Amino acid sequence: MSKPDVMEIVHHLAEEAKILLKDNFKGFYLHGSLAMGGFNPDKSDVDILIVTYHSLSSDIKSKLAKLLLKTSNTPFPIEVSFLNEKDLSTWQHPCPFDFHYSEFWREGFEEGMNPNSVSGFDPDLAAHITIIHHRGICVAGESIKATFPNVPREDYLSAILGDYFDCLVNIKEDPVYSVLNMIRVYWYLKEEVISSKYEAGKWALKSMPDEFIPAIKKIVGIYSTASSEHPDIDFTKLYDLRDYIDGEVQKLMSWYGT
């Protein structure tokens, strides 16, 4: 049986969210690989921001959790943050969020966890909102320009560099994500291009020194397939690639005064 079309699921979820939120629905927006054309139906999350006019009640959060438990992983995992207009009207970093769902929280919600516990401040929202401005898709509601503030460049850099430094140390545990994410941070610092992981990998195959091309080709190949296995990865080569990228990133950061 073939997988359902991901955009059918997205539009269905947008309609269900609008029904639950009623007059508190401002907009539904895609970011991440699905918005930027690098979506792998066997591996990628569906990345969403939903914006409301005012804060969500506990009852609505519980209903949203039930909706997302039913919709996520059937078959595509969903990661969604709910933001309200008030918190977006005056930008701050990290940006507050009202409610969040990802598969990380599934077990907690299934066991009746209080949905109010999944709110707070998320530094990654600076990156998500920047990507929405550059590459995002408005699925329903008000336009991107009318909904989201412009994120200062230093806040976007703060968000992507936080993830970048995690990738430096997590390359053994998650080589594909780590390498591709390091490359896209490097590409952004070098040329200010906002890219998906897949786009960054394809760029690296054309732009990085020849000695690293076989290792990058292996990583891009794994990312592009359905398999979750990491066959025949030469971690010595990956560590050399990591060290090269980090050397270039450190030079670029010093030029930016970061």
Side-chain angles (χ1 to χ4, degrees):
M1 181 178 175
S2 62
K3 287 190 175 183
D5 179 72
V6 63
M7 289 307 296
E8 288 181 14
I9 292 171
V10 166
H11 286 290
H12 172 74
L13 181 59
E15 290 304 311
E16 292 292 317
K18 285 168 70 175
I19 290 167
L20 279 177
L21 294 169
K22 299 178 181 174
D23 59 359
N24 193 24
F25 176 88
K26 183 168 185 177
F28 184 112
Y29 310 89
L30 292 178
H31 62 97
S33 60
L34 187 55
M36 294 191 281
F39 186 78
N40 180 336
D42 295 298
K43 293 182 179 177
S44 299
D45 290 348
V46 177
D47 297 305
I48 299 164
L49 296 184
I50 296 177
V51 180
T52 60
Y53 289 107
H54 51 79
S55 298
L56 302 171
S57 68
S58 295
D59 180 57
I60 290 296
K61 289 180 183 180
S62 294
K63 290 177 179 176
L64 288 167
K66 289 177 183 176
L67 169 64
L68 290 158
L69 284 169
K70 182 175 67 174
T71 309
S72 183
N73 264 5
T74 58
F76 310 109
I78 290 169
E79 182 159 359
V80 54
S81 291
F82 291 79
L83 318 176
N84 69 71
E85 188 178 55
K86 171 178 64 67
D87 288 332
L88 290 174
S89 61
T90 304
W91 174 254
Q92 60 177 305
H93 178 67
C95 180
F97 65 96
D98 211 12
F99 181 57
H100 179 82
Y101 179 87
S102 71
E103 283 302 304
F104 176 83
W105 297 105
R106 173 175 288 277
E107 185 176 347
F109 284 130
E110 287 177 337
E111 293 176 355
M113 179 178 71
N114 183 349
N116 286 321
S117 63
V118 193
S119 62
F121 297 83
D122 183 0
D124 290 342
L125 286 167
H128 300 338
I129 293 170
T130 299
I131 289 167
I132 280 179
H133 270 296
H134 285 80
R135 308 282 300 276
I137 296 171
C138 175
V139 175
E142 296 193 27
S143 71
I144 289 169
K145 187 175 180 181
T147 303
F148 294 99
N150 289 311
V151 174
R153 187 177 183 279
E154 59 267 26
D155 293 345
Y156 176 66
L157 273 177
S158 170
I160 64 172
L161 287 172
D163 201 21
Y164 170 84
F165 292 127
D166 287 341
C167 290
L168 291 178
V169 299
N170 292 333
I171 191 168
K172 180 74 173 179
E173 291 73 25
D174 195 353
V176 175
Y177 176 86
S178 297
V179 168
L180 294 178
N181 200 50
M182 287 189 294
I183 292 170
R184 68 175 173 179
V185 170
Y186 171 43
W187 192 12
Y188 177 77
L189 287 168
K190 187 176 173 67
E191 299 180 12
E192 297 207 352
V193 173
I194 291 174
S195 67
S196 68
K197 293 189 290 293
Y198 181 72
E199 290 169 334
K202 299 295 280 185
W203 170 82
L205 288 172
K206 297 182 293 184
S207 306
M208 301 279 269
D210 289 346
E211 65 189 283
F212 300 122
I213 298 305
I216 296 168
K217 189 177 290 184
K218 171 74 73 174
I219 291 296
V220 172
I222 295 170
Y223 182 81
S224 304
T225 64
S227 174
S228 60
E229 300 297 317
H230 301 150
D232 305 323
I233 287 180
D234 185 337
F235 279 96
T236 301
K237 296 270 177 56
L238 284 196
Y239 296 147
D240 289 343
L241 173 60
R242 175 196 62 188
D243 294 344
Y244 169 80
I245 293 171
D246 193 44
E248 296 299 302
V249 165
Q250 296 300 330
K251 284 190 284 190
L252 290 164
M253 286 169 57
S254 68
W255 294 342
Y256 283 116
T258 303

